[in-house]
Amino acid sequence: MASVKNLKKDINYVLSDIIEECYVWQMLQDDPKNVDKAEKIIDEAIVTFDELIVKVNNKDVDDKKAHFKALKSELQTKGESLLAKIEKL
């Protein structure tokens, strides 16, 4: 089982890369109206980060291995969802 520290790093890296991608997209836009679209994705990524970190730090878990495996899966699912939204911009 991977360590909690590595899971936290993965959450941080994935979601910070998504936020960075939104900022790059914003810089390349000429129309300021389009900037709000990326801001919504950034806000969603921040909320996702907060939710996942709270779940990682939850100590009242019966089966830690299954809990962390589910969190990894949730990170992957939500990360892919956010990337799909960026692609649609």
Side-chain angles (χ1 to χ4, degrees), residues 17-18 21 78-88:
D17 284 347
I18 290 171
E21 186 66 31
K78 289 188 177 188
E80 289 173 354
S81 170
L82 290 169
L83 287 174
K85 290 180 182 181
I86 293 172
E87 289 176 5
K88 291 180 183 179

Side-chain angles (χ1 to χ4, degrees), residues 7-16 19 42-57 74-75 78 82:
L7 181 57
K8 287 181 180 180
K9 283 182 181 181
D10 289 344
I11 292 169
N12 189 35
Y13 291 146
V14 168
L15 295 172
S16 64
I19 292 171
I42 292 170
D43 291 341
E44 189 176 339
I46 291 170
V47 168
T48 300
F49 175 83
D50 292 341
E51 290 172 352
L52 289 173
I53 291 298
V54 166
K55 289 179 182 179
V56 167
N57 291 330
E74 184 176 352
L75 172 62
K78 289 188 177 188
L82 290 169

